[in-house]
Amino acid sequence: MNRPSEFSPYEDWKRRHEAALRGGWRQGFSTSSGFEVKPLYTAADLGELHFDYERDVGYPGQAPYTRGFTPPGYRAKLWKMEMYAGFGSAEDANKRYRYLIEQGSTGGVSIALDLPTQVGYDSDHPMARDEVGQIGVALTSLDDIERVFDGIPLDKAGHVFSTANCIGPIFCAWLLALTEKRGNRTADFTVQIQNDPIKEYVARGTQFLPIEASVRLATDVIAYCTQHAPEWLPISVSGSHMKQAGATTVQEAAFTVCNGIAYVETCLAKGMKIDDFGHRIELHFCTEMDFFEEVAKYRALRKVWTKLVRERFGGTTERAQHFRLHAATSGRPLTAQQPLNNISRITLQALAQILGGCEQTRTASFDEALGIPTEEAARTSIRANQIIGYETGIPYTVDPLGGSYYVEHLTLQFERRIWEIIDGVDRMGGALVAVKNGYFSRALAQGAYREQCAVESGEQVIVGVNRFQSDEPRPTPVFKLDPTAAERQIAKLQAVRARRDGAAVQAALAQLGADCASERNVMPAVLRCVKAYATVGEICQVWREVFGEYVPEAMRF
């Protein structure tokens, strides 16, 4: 007679198959954030984490929003399919935006800015000349914005985005002025401004003002839009740049939330109420190759942020908890070697963020490791989204991975680790202190070093780079920027300066300086400057004179 096993069914299964489960094709299995991955997950694993379905998962459109903010999910409408673009002059960029819209991009006009624009220099500044139009479009005044949208009705564009971080007020004013000139209403379309300077000090480097001044300007935009353009998204708190600079997936999520807390609490200190603007906050992330970890990240983020809104920020409405969740496929895993492999990478990244319930996806192009995407590459990325949406059946049910023992276990692990990091940053004094004392930067540098070591040792496999290389490279067309774009841009800038009302520009800039030196919201003065065709360099020079320029902590003696 067989005696009953003294092991649980799972332990009994492991004991019976111990030899087969031992070892494997790699030394240990863990996620990119360091969570150990067991060979099998069962209901018992959720029990160990005190899992409760109603509390931890629930239903779509209901707290804790693990399964999404809307009851029907993508059955009602598919995610927005955004393509990020911009190069050369406004006219060059305009042609690409019109092409993307024709190809079915539903994410509107997503504007990449060149480096001089992002750091507040005009195209003819001595520091700018070699960078004009190189990694984005050169924009110096309202005249350029008018050219960018030539032939693109604002109500047809639907959605306008830009990575204006440290110049967020200027980009916002450009679109407000354009709306007024065209006779549109702000409700006719949505403007989404990244307007997130904190992460610039950690991961990107376009900061040029002291961090306190940058946060003040960013939150002035939030306050102004809440009153004057309530349909717009005045801030997109971005973790993607920190992720691509070395943060683990869980650090990307947690650091972004910490930065978001800093912006919200600054707004609350100005007398604003989260119920009035919480639904206009966007949290923006990038999706890389650890598929299930990325899915769990987005599910956990909804739980964490909505709990913060209720319990920390004083939110009393469901609407305030419904932040906008935006994700971009990451350019970091894309390789110059065997670039067509990147189509698979991009498709899998897009699939992970869709299964995670993101409202809008920004999709990279397979040739981004080589340069600005060609039209063919950009079109192929749009098609990847369309194939997932219309051919796979994935959007037919809400949160199709919900209930997976592994995904739910990973979601709970993510949530708990995010809270641990938030608590640690709070104990330091908040995100601004964590930036100043180097906590965020050290974490990113350590992560980037660990990853590079893993790639060089072969522990982390990158197909076509450190394994499965090919000696027969396939020629890939590379985008070529018009070499005359910079000179054309500078000529237009000079023409704008010649025909504008110089006295009106100087009066507007003087008012801006006075408002910056006071406690007044800067947006009315910035809007006055923009309407007078003051340039980005002139406006930012006022900020530099009033607030001073950024000096890294390590250089302060």
Side-chain angles (χ1 to χ4, degrees):
M1 181 175 179
N2 292 329
R3 298 178 59 187
S5 171
E6 60 186 65
F7 299 97
S8 69
Y10 173 66
E11 292 297 329
D12 186 59
W13 174 82
K14 281 206 315 183
R15 182 180 61 83
R16 291 173 181 271
H17 303 287
E18 182 178 2
L21 294 172
R22 188 185 302 118
W25 56 272
R26 59 174 294 165
Q27 291 292 318
F29 294 85
S30 62
T31 71
S32 61
S33 293
F35 295 117
E36 181 183 356
V37 180
K38 298 169 61 174
L40 181 71
Y41 285 83
T42 70
D45 293 289
L46 298 180
E48 291 175 359
L49 295 179
H50 308 289
F51 174 82
D52 178 272
Y53 179 83
E54 298 290 341
R55 181 195 66 208
D56 293 313
V57 182
Y59 298 89
Q62 297 177 197
Y65 303 109
T66 311
R67 308 196 76 173
F69 286 131
T70 65
Y74 301 132
R75 289 167 65 100
K77 59 180 178 180
L78 296 180
W79 56 96
K80 294 292 186 181
M81 304 172 190
E82 176 188 339
M83 297 299 296
Y84 186 49
F87 51 83
S89 67
E91 293 87 350
D92 299 323
N94 171 268
K95 293 176 183 177
R96 177 59 63 90
Y97 300 139
R98 294 169 72 169
Y99 173 79
L100 293 173
I101 292 171
E102 290 168 1
Q103 295 304 311
S105 173
T106 58
V109 177
S110 185
I111 304 173
L113 302 176
D114 73 354
L115 187 57
T117 304
Q118 292 188 61
V119 297
Y121 287 138
D122 290 335
S123 296
D124 59 353
H125 191 283
M127 294 284 289
R129 294 293 292 264
D130 292 337
E131 290 290 340
V132 175
Q134 291 298 309
I135 62 167
V137 59
L139 302 178
T140 53
S141 75
L142 179 59
D143 178 75
D144 287 319
I145 289 292
E146 292 167 344
R147 295 170 187 269
V148 161
F149 285 91
D150 182 40
I152 303 176
L154 294 178
D155 56 342
K156 300 299 182 185
H159 193 98
V160 177
F161 167 79
S162 184
T163 49
N165 289 291
C166 296
I167 64 159
I170 300 173
F171 188 85
C172 182
W174 280 337
L175 270 296
L176 286 167
L178 183 65
T179 301
E180 182 180 318
K181 288 195 70 172
R182 293 230 180 143
N184 286 99
R185 303 168 304 147
T186 57
D188 289 343
F189 67 117
T190 300
V191 172
Q192 170 196 351
I193 313 165
Q194 194 158 95
N195 190 31
D196 172 16
I198 296 177
K199 57 92 175 56
E200 300 297 305
Y201 297 80
V202 178
R204 266 185 104 236
T206 69
Q207 71 278 4
F208 58 89
L209 300 175
I211 191 169
E212 293 84 0
S214 292
V215 171
R216 175 204 164 167
L217 295 177
T219 51
D220 275 1
V221 173
I222 299 172
Y224 189 85
C225 285
T226 299
Q227 293 294 319
H228 300 280
E231 307 84 6
W232 291 7
L233 300 166
I235 189 166
S236 176
V237 190
S238 177
S240 61
H241 304 98
M242 294 185 286
K243 174 77 160 293
Q244 295 181 73
T248 65
T249 305
V250 74
Q251 286 173 336
E252 174 206 16
F255 293 173
T256 304
V257 171
C258 289
N259 291 348
I261 290 171
Y263 293 119
V264 170
E265 292 188 339
T266 302
C267 288
L268 299 181
K270 291 183 176 185
M272 299 175 67
K273 303 294 184 184
I274 191 67
D275 286 342
D276 295 330
F277 69 93
H279 64 296
R280 309 316 298 170
I281 294 172
E282 180 179 271
L283 301 184
H284 168 74
F285 304 91
C286 73
T287 309
E288 295 196 342
M289 297 305 297
D290 197 327
F291 187 87
F292 290 105
E293 187 173 64
E294 295 289 355
V295 173
K297 175 181 74 178
Y298 295 120
R299 300 173 86 249
L301 276 162
R302 281 191 291 269
K303 295 177 67 178
V304 169
W305 186 260
T306 54
K307 184 176 181 181
L308 282 167
V309 171
R310 292 193 306 268
E311 299 181 7
R312 182 163 176 167
F313 303 150
T316 62
T317 66
E318 286 191 9
R319 188 175 77 155
Q321 301 168 43
H322 292 188
F323 69 95
R324 190 168 187 274
L325 181 54
H326 182 287
T329 64
S330 176
R332 185 172 67 155
L334 306 186
T335 65
Q337 301 92 329
Q338 302 178 26
L340 292 182
N341 293 345
N342 295 330
I343 298 174
S344 299
R345 294 185 175 106
I346 291 165
T347 303
L348 288 168
Q349 290 173 23
L351 181 59
Q353 55 202 27
I354 290 161
L355 290 172
C358 295
E359 296 172 57
Q360 180 158 328
T361 68
R362 180 188 306 157
T363 315
S365 299
F366 69 79
D367 57 358
E368 285 195 22
L370 302 172
I372 293 172
T374 60
E375 288 189 351
E376 178 189 26
R379 183 179 66 246
T380 300
S381 286
I382 294 174
R383 297 291 181 259
N385 273 281
Q386 292 165 334
I387 289 168
I388 295 171
Y390 294 104
E391 296 188 21
T392 65
I394 288 167
Y396 293 178
T397 190
V398 187
D399 188 30
L401 292 183
S404 157
Y405 298 130
Y406 178 42
V407 170
E408 298 298 357
H409 188 275
L410 198 51
T411 300
L412 286 171
Q413 286 184 300
F414 250 77
E415 179 189 2
R416 294 179 184 190
R417 181 61 182 135
I418 290 170
W419 283 117
E420 289 174 5
I421 295 174
I422 292 171
D423 290 342
V425 171
D426 281 345
R427 287 193 297 271
M428 291 178 201
L432 299 195
V433 175
V435 170
K436 291 181 175 181
N437 69 20
Y439 167 71
F440 288 155
S441 295
R442 286 193 300 274
L444 270 55
Q446 291 165 0
Y449 176 74
R450 284 194 300 268
E451 181 170 338
Q452 186 61 33
C453 289
V455 171
E456 291 181 2
S457 70
E459 177 187 352
Q460 179 174 333
V461 175
I462 300 179
V463 173
V465 176
N466 61 359
R467 283 190 70 182
F468 312 111
Q469 298 96 327
S470 172
D471 294 328
E472 301 176 6
R474 179 183 181 274
T476 300
V478 178
F479 180 86
K480 298 293 185 182
L481 183 66
D482 180 354
T484 69
E487 295 306 319
R488 287 189 283 112
Q489 173 65 19
I490 292 170
K492 287 186 300 175
L493 171 60
Q494 292 170 345
V496 167
R497 290 197 186 112
R499 67 174 180 263
R500 69 189 184 180
D501 183 338
V505 171
Q506 291 307 310
L509 292 172
Q511 183 62 57
L512 175 61
D515 286 2
C516 288
S518 72
E519 295 297 318
R520 291 189 291 271
N521 189 302
V522 302
M523 278 302 301
V526 174
L527 185 55
R528 180 182 175 187
C529 291
V530 162
K531 289 180 178 180
Y533 289 85
T535 66
V536 66
E538 291 166 337
I539 295 170
C540 290
Q541 183 58 33
V542 172
W543 291 343
R544 287 179 164 100
E545 291 170 358
V546 174
F547 298 124
E549 296 200 55
Y550 169 70
V551 178
E553 294 291 321
M555 296 179 64
R556 297 179 183 177
F557 297 102

